[in-house]
């Protein structure tokens, strides 16, 4: 079945540094890739997404890149701040053929130290 | 608040009891999803509705679990004869059509 692997499981950076989280997916038909941020005790919050017809998307300090050939996608956070500390989940979805479920990675716990 | 809402936020029940959770999606969203999340893991898909039709169910959803969305608006998830392994956060999400927005979840503890 579909599978999404996410690395690293934990990431610790100093404030102002960049953070990169990487995911790989197994279903070559996947064509939509959202990223969610989840703070402790709160709901997953959609922070950025990318579709398969685009290689890169940027929104202020966060960016996502997609390599369809390698079935890799990554989240890049620049100029990290303590409030970026959270668990980040990548996910993949197939938007056609009746499949509409998100398959999540296991998450990356990001800690940004002042 | 026009986001996804869930009720109750917390539920403690004894093993063997039945529980029911409710999800109210964003009003214009026709797609509704249920997920289960355990500590340290990503959400796992349980089931999906498009309007009132339940179009997909995960193999994780045993016959003790049932979900409905009778009028294509709110949805309920019922767990019968709860087991300790059912303890988890149950998340609801809605979309129209693609970006999924999550509710705050119902945390179930089975004692």
């Amino acid at each position: 079945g579909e599978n999404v692997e996410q690395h690293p499981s934990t990431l610790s950076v100093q404030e102002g540094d960049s953070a990169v989280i990487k995911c790989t997916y197994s279903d070559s038909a996947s064509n939509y890739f959202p990223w969610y941020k989840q703070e402790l005790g709160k709901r997953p919050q959609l922070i950025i997404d990318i579709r398969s017809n685009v290689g890169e998307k940027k929104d202020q300090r966060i960016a996502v890149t997609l390599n369809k050939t390698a079935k890799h996608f990554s989240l890049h956070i620049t100029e990290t701040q303590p409030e970026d500390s959270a668990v980040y989940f990548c996910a993949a979805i197939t938007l056609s053929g009746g499949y509409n479920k998100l398959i999540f990675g296991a998450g990356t716990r990001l800690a940004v130290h002042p | 608040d026009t986001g996804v809402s869930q009720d109750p936020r917390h539920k403690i029940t004894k093993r063997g009891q039945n529980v029911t959770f409710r999800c109210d999606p964003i009003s214009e969203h026709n797609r509704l999803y249920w997920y289960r999340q355990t500590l340290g893991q990503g959400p796992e898909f349980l089931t999906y509705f498009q309007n009132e039709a339940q179009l997909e169910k995960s193999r994780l959803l045993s016959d003790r679990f049932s979900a409905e969305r009778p009028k294509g608006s709110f949805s309920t998830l019922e767990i019968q004869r709860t087991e300790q392994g059912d303890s988890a956060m149950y998340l609801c999400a809605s979309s129209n059509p693609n970006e999924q927005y999550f509710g705050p979840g119902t945390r179930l503890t089975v004692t």
Side-chain angles (χ1 to χ4, degrees):
Chain A
E2 305 93 341
N3 184 50
V4 175
E5 293 189 359
Q6 183 171 349
H7 301 279
S9 57
T10 59
L11 181 58
S12 182
V13 300
Q14 290 296 124
E15 182 176 1
D17 288 350
S18 295
V20 180
I21 302 170
K22 299 181 178 181
C23 290
T24 60
Y25 60 98
S26 61
D27 184 1
S28 56
S30 295
N31 51 13
Y32 172 67
F33 307 91
W35 286 87
Y36 287 83
K37 175 183 179 182
Q38 188 173 30
E39 297 176 73
L40 190 63
K42 297 192 175 180
R43 73 187 75 190
Q45 181 184 6
L46 179 65
I47 57 171
I48 195 167
D49 56 17
I50 190 167
R51 286 171 172 75
S52 58
N53 58 348
V54 175
E56 183 174 358
K57 183 177 179 181
K58 189 173 181 180
D59 183 3
Q60 299 183 341
R61 295 186 299 108
I62 60 173
V64 58
T65 59
L66 172 65
N67 181 331
K68 280 191 66 179
T69 302
K71 293 191 280 188
H72 289 172
F73 58 114
S74 300
L75 178 71
H76 304 254
I77 307 174
T78 57
E79 301 172 24
T80 53
Q81 302 168 2
E83 51 266 38
D84 294 330
S85 297
V87 179
Y88 291 81
F89 293 99
C90 63
I93 195 171
T94 303
L95 295 176
S96 64
Y99 287 88
N100 289 277
K101 60 182 180 284
L102 280 172
I103 305 297
F104 282 85
T108 296
R109 182 172 300 279
L110 173 64
V112 181
H113 301 286
Chain B
D1 186 358
T2 57
V4 179
S5 61
Q6 292 185 245
D7 184 69
R9 297 290 305 278
H10 303 274
K11 179 70 177 179
I12 300 174
T13 191
K14 292 186 178 180
R15 188 178 52 174
Q17 299 294 305
N18 299 343
V19 294
T20 300
F21 310 142
R22 176 179 169 126
C23 170
D24 286 89
I26 294 170
S27 59
E28 63 268 25
H29 285 185
N30 60 359
R31 298 181 181 184
L32 186 147
Y33 312 78
W34 285 97
Y35 292 86
R36 180 169 66 190
Q37 186 177 28
T38 53
L39 199 63
Q41 299 297 317
E44 294 177 296
F45 171 82
L46 293 178
T47 191
Y48 158 65
F49 289 86
Q50 183 155 331
N51 298 311
E52 66 275 10
Q54 187 174 19
L55 297 185
E56 187 165 355
K57 291 174 62 173
S58 165
R59 287 186 293 274
L60 292 174
L61 219 62
S62 77
D63 56 6
R64 296 185 298 105
F65 288 71
S66 62
E68 295 182 340
R69 194 182 183 198
K71 297 181 180 179
S73 56
F74 73 91
S75 175
T76 58
L77 177 68
E78 181 183 17
I79 309 174
Q80 296 182 324
R81 306 182 302 281
T82 52
E83 301 172 357
Q84 286 188 321
D86 297 332
S87 296
M89 176 73 83
Y90 290 84
L91 292 163
C92 174
S94 70
S95 72
N96 187 24
N98 302 324
E99 293 84 2
Q100 293 189 24
Y101 295 93
F102 282 85
T106 295
R107 181 168 297 283
L108 173 66
T109 302
V110 182
T111 61

